[in-house]
């Protein structure tokens, strides 16, 4: 009978595998060190992604839009929606954020929702956003020809609104076509999910005349205005910023879990909820 060599086997002491996993685990992120970037920093980061790292606008729009759809789905599962099998209104503006909204709408459709798009003003990235619009149309996403003038018409028809009207380049106040849109959205009683910066806010300031969303989806890195975000959910989306760019801008961002393209951030509200009461409990 052949002898069995014990050298061929690896023996572990009971509990050692668990201990090794704990030793190798990354330390928990300290949210008090989270970076919030200025409008100028956001612009410079975007420029470097397009030049030094050879991304193109379509790639960045796709990554941001997909992340926005995933964050929305995590916070508002389609199976829990009560109106019209997951009906959602996606409001798209004339700039970069509008393109993100068009991509987000397409991915929400693929995730089982029923998005309707409001896109009243052609983007200043016309050729790109024309293609994004055609993609939505080819997937039978309806486009509104006018915006409902009464807030109850929106909340009776949709489960939530995705706000992709204005992004980090916007400077208050809201003008022209979108002023009445913002005023109507401020009155709705269904959740609003804002992409990168709530419409009506500046990248570095909160405006009482802007929207007050329940979900904020920061793209690449939170903007300074997000420090004062009072909503229920805050997510960071994208997972496309190279580590060398993070280091150059000295960004302190939490790691993304597993293979996720979004990570939940603590809001001011959740941080206050964690504080002990006056009794010290």
């Amino acid at each position: 009978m052949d002898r069995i060599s014990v050298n061929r086997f690896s023996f572990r002491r009971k509990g050692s595998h668990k201990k090794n996993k704990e030793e190798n685990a990354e330390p928990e992120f300290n949210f008090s060190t989270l970076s919030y970037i200025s409008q100028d920093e956001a612009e410079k980061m975007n420029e470097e992604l397009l030049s030094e790292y050879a991304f193109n606008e379509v790639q960045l729009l796709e990554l941001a839009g997909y992340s926005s759809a995933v964050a929305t789905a995590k916070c508002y599962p389609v199976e829990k929606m009560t109106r019209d099998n997951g009906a959602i209104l996606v409001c798209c503006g004339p700039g970069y954020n509008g393109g993100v909204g068009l991509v987000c709408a397409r991915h929400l459709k693929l995730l089982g929702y029923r998005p309707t798009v409001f896109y009243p003003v052609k983007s200043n990235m016309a050729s790109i956003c024309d293609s994004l619009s055609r993609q939505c149309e080819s997937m039978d996403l309806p486009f509104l020809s006018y915006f409902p003038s009464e807030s109850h018409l929106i909340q009776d028809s949709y489960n939530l609104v995705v706000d992709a009207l204005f992004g980090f380049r916007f400077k208050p106040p809201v003008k022209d076509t979108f002023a009445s849109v913002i005023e109507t959205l401020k009155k709705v009683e269904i959740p609003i999910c804002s992409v990168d910066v709530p419409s009506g806010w500046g990248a570095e300031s909160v405006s009482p005349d802007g929207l007050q969303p329940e979900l904020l989806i920061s793209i690449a890195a939170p903007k300074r205005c997000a420090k004062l975000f009072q909503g229920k959910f805050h997510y960071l989306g994208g997972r496309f910023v190279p580590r060398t760019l993070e280091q150059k801008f000295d960004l302190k961002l939490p790691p993304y879990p597993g293979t996720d393209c979004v990570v939940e951030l603590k809001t001011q509200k959740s941080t206050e909820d964690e504080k002990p009461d006056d009794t010290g409990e």
Side-chain angles (χ1 to χ4, degrees):
M1 184 176 179
D2 293 337
R3 291 186 177 182
I4 299 175
S5 172
V6 295
N7 292 331
R8 293 169 55 197
F9 295 88
S10 174
F11 293 93
R12 289 183 183 271
R13 201 179 307 172
K14 188 176 181 181
S16 64
H17 179 66
K18 182 179 178 182
K19 184 179 179 182
N20 288 342
K21 279 185 74 175
E22 290 172 351
E23 288 174 353
N24 294 331
E26 289 189 20
E28 186 173 347
F29 182 76
N30 180 1
F31 279 92
S32 67
T33 67
L34 179 67
S35 296
Y36 295 87
I37 63 175
S38 67
Q39 184 181 46
D40 184 58
E41 288 170 320
E43 192 67 71
K44 287 178 179 176
M45 279 182 60
N46 196 64
E47 288 173 2
E48 290 220 15
L49 286 167
L50 293 171
S51 57
E52 297 299 318
Y53 293 91
F55 282 82
N56 60 49
E57 292 279 10
V58 176
Q59 282 178 291
L60 297 180
L61 289 169
E62 190 69 28
L63 291 163
Y66 175 63
S67 299
S68 299
V70 169
T72 301
K74 282 182 176 289
C75 297
Y76 307 99
V78 67
E79 60 271 15
K80 293 187 178 180
M81 292 186 167
T82 57
R83 295 181 184 88
D84 199 16
N85 299 315
I88 290 175
L89 178 60
V90 182
C91 298
C92 302
Y96 182 89
N97 244 33
V100 175
L102 292 170
V103 175
C104 177
R106 168 162 46 83
H107 283 290
L108 286 169
K109 172 82 170 187
L110 293 169
L111 292 174
Y113 296 85
R114 295 188 61 196
T116 294
V117 177
F118 176 64
Y119 180 45
V121 178
K122 288 291 183 181
S123 171
N124 49 26
M125 301 184 297
S127 61
I128 293 174
C129 287
D130 281 351
S131 296
L132 296 176
S133 296
R134 285 178 61 191
Q135 291 165 13
C136 290
E137 290 167 354
S138 69
M139 294 176 64
D140 296 326
L141 271 68
F143 280 66
L144 291 182
S145 56
Y146 64 93
F147 195 77
S149 58
E150 300 292 334
S151 60
H152 72 86
L153 296 175
I154 297 172
Q155 58 201 40
D156 289 347
S157 302
Y158 304 103
N159 295 276
L160 61 85
V161 176
V162 174
D163 157 37
L165 293 171
F166 303 111
F168 71 83
R169 294 184 176 97
F170 172 79
K171 292 183 179 179
V174 180
K175 300 175 183 176
D176 304 326
T177 304
F178 296 100
S180 60
V181 172
I182 296 287
E183 285 305 309
T184 301
L185 288 177
K186 284 164 62 176
K187 299 172 186 173
V188 301
E189 297 178 0
I190 55 176
I192 292 177
C193 312
S194 290
V195 175
D196 207 24
V197 174
S199 288
W201 297 20
E204 301 180 34
S205 61
V206 177
S207 171
D209 296 324
L211 299 180
Q212 304 298 324
E214 188 171 277
L215 164 64
L216 175 61
I217 308 151
S218 292
I219 303 299
K223 312 309 177 281
R224 285 184 181 170
C225 64
K227 278 187 178 182
L228 299 176
F229 172 61
Q230 295 276 2
K232 188 175 181 181
F233 306 109
H234 187 192
Y235 272 77
L236 176 63
R239 200 172 189 167
F240 54 78
V241 179
R243 181 64 183 149
T244 48
L245 192 60
E246 283 189 23
Q247 291 170 340
K248 181 174 182 176
F249 284 86
D250 193 27
L251 297 180
K252 305 291 190 302
L253 302 173
Y256 288 85
T259 57
D260 285 0
C261 62
V262 296
V263 57
E264 187 170 10
L265 306 179
K266 291 188 177 181
T267 65
Q268 187 184 69
K269 184 176 185 298
S270 66
T271 303
E272 289 173 353
D273 290 343
E274 290 175 1
K275 292 180 182 177
D277 58 26
D278 293 339
T279 63
E281 295 178 352

